[in-house]
Structure formats: structure tokens, C-alpha cells
């Protein structure tokens, strides 16, 4: 697996809108290159809402609503807030994606040092 790291802000650039551009999708901390599935994930196609995004919650819930996906400045989704049924759906999607598409990286927090510092400051003020 590639060690390339993507924040959600960086990931949003990979939607396939520009000709020849890769289409990347985040799921459960991994980033998949789904360019070979442009007929599904490319602009204007059924799953294009997941292109350039952390699709974990959307796929877990079977939802195409962008409101179910974290925004560019958010942290990547973790499974701890999902129901057991939703977690199973994510694992099923992971299995499907890993069979068809390469994992090209991983999702990371935008600024983990800043977030850790804020948590420390909040703890110290209590």
C-alpha cells in the first residue's frame, strides 16, 4: 500500500472533473483510486457524490447525500460512531473496493498537531 497521506481538503481535488484526472475515494481511512470505475464514480454518474470525499458514512448508510460525508476541514470518519449494521456495510464495501481498485494512500486529519494542542488546552482549563 502507498504511504501517501491525504487530508479531506486534498482528497476533494480528485473527482475526475478535469480530463485525465484521477478519481479517488476515501473509505474507512484508506484512499482508493477508482478511476477505472469512472462509469460509476466519474462526474454525472451514480456514485460521483463519493468522488474526492470520505465516503465511509454515505456507504455505511446507503446514502448519496453529501450531508452524510465530512467536509474538507473535518477529520476522517471513524467506525466508532456507526451502528453494527453500518460497520458491516463499510467492511463489505471495503472488500468490494479492494478487489477492484488499488489503495493509493490513507486519510489523515488536516492538522493533527493543532487538534492535539487544542485538546490539551481544553483539558488543562477544566
Amino acid at each position: 500500500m502507498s504511504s501517501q497521506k491525504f487530508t479531506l481538503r486534498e482528497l476533494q481535488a480528485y473527482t475526475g472533473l478535469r480530463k485525465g484526472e484521477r478519481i479517488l475515494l476515501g473509505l474507512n481511512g484508506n484512499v482508493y483510486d477508482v478511476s477505472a470505475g469512472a462509469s460509476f464514480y466519474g462526474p454525472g454518474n451514480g456514485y460521483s457524490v463519493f468522488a474526492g470525499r470520505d465516503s465511509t458514512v454515505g456507504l455505511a448508510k446507503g446514502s448519496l447525500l453529501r450531508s452524510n460525508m465530512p467536509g474538507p476541514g473535518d477529520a476522517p470518519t471513524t467506525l466508532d460512531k456507526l451502528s453494527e449494521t453500518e460497520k458491516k456495510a463499510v467492511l463489505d464495501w471495503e472488500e468490494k473496493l479492494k478487489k477492484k481498485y488499488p489503495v493509493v494512500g490513507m486519510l489523515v486529519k488536516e492538522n493533527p498537531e493543532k487538534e492535539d494542542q487544542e485538546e490539551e488546552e481544553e483539558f488543562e482549563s477544566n
Side-chain angles (χ1 to χ4, degrees), residues 10-54:
E10 293 165 336
L11 186 64
Q12 73 180 356
Y14 298 94
T15 60
L17 281 175
R18 289 182 292 276
K19 187 175 175 114
E21 176 183 73
R22 291 192 302 167
I23 303 170
L24 302 182
L25 173 152
L27 178 67
N28 196 21
N30 290 317
V31 176
Y32 296 85
D33 185 337
V34 297
S35 301
S39 61
F40 300 107
Y41 301 102
N45 293 313
Y47 291 112
S48 64
V49 68
F50 299 126
R53 295 183 167 270
D54 177 354

Side-chain angles (χ1 to χ4, degrees), residues 3 15-16 19 29 39 42-44 62 67 69 74 78 85 93-95 97 99 110-111 117:
S3 62
T15 60
K19 187 175 175 114
S39 61
S67 60
M69 292 173 252
D74 295 334
T78 58
T85 302
W93 271 103
E94 260 188 321
E95 192 175 313
L97 290 178
K99 287 179 182 176
E110 184 143 335
N111 190 347
Q117 183 180 9

Side-chain angles (χ1 to χ4, degrees), residues 47-103:
Y47 291 112
S48 64
V49 68
F50 299 126
R53 295 183 167 270
D54 177 354
S55 62
T56 305
V57 175
L59 290 172
K61 296 179 177 289
S63 171
L64 297 174
L65 297 175
R66 287 188 182 202
S67 60
N68 281 320
M69 292 173 252
D74 295 334
T77 303
T78 58
L79 297 184
D80 60 339
K81 294 182 180 176
L82 300 177
S83 71
E84 290 305 312
T85 302
E86 292 167 340
K87 288 177 188 176
K88 183 180 179 331
V90 168
L91 297 176
D92 289 346
W93 271 103
E94 260 188 321
E95 192 175 313
K96 289 175 191 174
L97 290 178
K98 282 182 180 177
K99 287 179 182 176
K100 290 180 136 182
Y101 308 109
V103 174

Side-chain angles (χ1 to χ4, degrees), residues 93-126:
W93 271 103
E94 260 188 321
E95 192 175 313
K96 289 175 191 174
L97 290 178
K98 282 182 180 177
K99 287 179 182 176
K100 290 180 136 182
Y101 308 109
V103 174
V104 296
M106 58 189 272
L107 294 173
V108 295
K109 292 179 182 176
E110 184 143 335
N111 190 347
E113 294 84 21
K114 180 181 175 190
E115 204 167 284
D116 290 343
Q117 183 180 9
E118 288 172 357
E119 286 176 9
E120 284 179 27
E121 289 170 3
E122 184 178 313
F123 178 75
E124 289 171 3
S125 69
N126 288 333

